[in-house]
């Protein structure tokens, strides 16, 4: 089974890809791979920050308040 995706780019985006490809001396496929890799890194970071934010809302105590009466 072949892994094929079909997608469309606007004419403006195609022109930018071609321009940067010429300027950077990179194949468009390499640029797209790099761009998607960075996109996935950014999205994963956002998801982790969101999960952390949701987890932090489980308590309304600050760090110092939480540990205030704990004897170690």
């Amino acid at each position: 089974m072949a892994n094929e995706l079909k997608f469309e780019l606007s004419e403006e985006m195609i022109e930018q890809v071609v321009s940067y490809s010429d300027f950077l001396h990179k194949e468009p496929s390499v640029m797209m791979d790099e761009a998607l890799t960075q996109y996935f890194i950014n999205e994963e970071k956002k998801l982790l920050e969101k999960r952390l934010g949701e987890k932090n809302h489980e308590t309304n105590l600050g760090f110092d308040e939480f540990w205030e009466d704990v004897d170690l």
Side-chain angles (χ1 to χ4, degrees):
M1 181 175 149
N3 290 332
E4 291 186 27
L5 295 175
K6 184 177 181 178
F7 59 93
E8 296 179 21
L9 297 174
S10 68
E11 190 65 35
E12 181 181 327
M13 187 62 65
I14 292 171
E15 289 172 6
Q16 288 182 350
V17 169
V18 171
S19 294
Y20 275 93
S21 175
D22 292 341
F23 180 72
L24 299 172
H25 306 292
K26 287 186 178 183
E27 289 294 320
S29 60
V30 172
M31 292 171 42
M32 298 298 286
D33 187 61
E34 291 173 351
L36 284 170
T37 298
Q38 189 60 51
Y39 173 81
F40 293 136
I41 289 170
N42 292 344
E43 290 303 310
E44 182 66 24
K45 196 176 191 181
K46 287 179 192 176
L47 289 171
L48 290 172
E49 288 172 355
K50 181 180 176 187
R51 285 186 209 138
L52 183 61
E54 289 172 355
K55 190 174 185 177
N56 285 343
H57 285 105
E58 292 175 2
T59 180
N60 60 355
L61 297 176
F63 181 82
D64 291 331
E65 290 176 294
F66 181 82
W67 291 106
E68 188 174 306
D69 296 322
V70 175
D71 293 326
L72 296 176

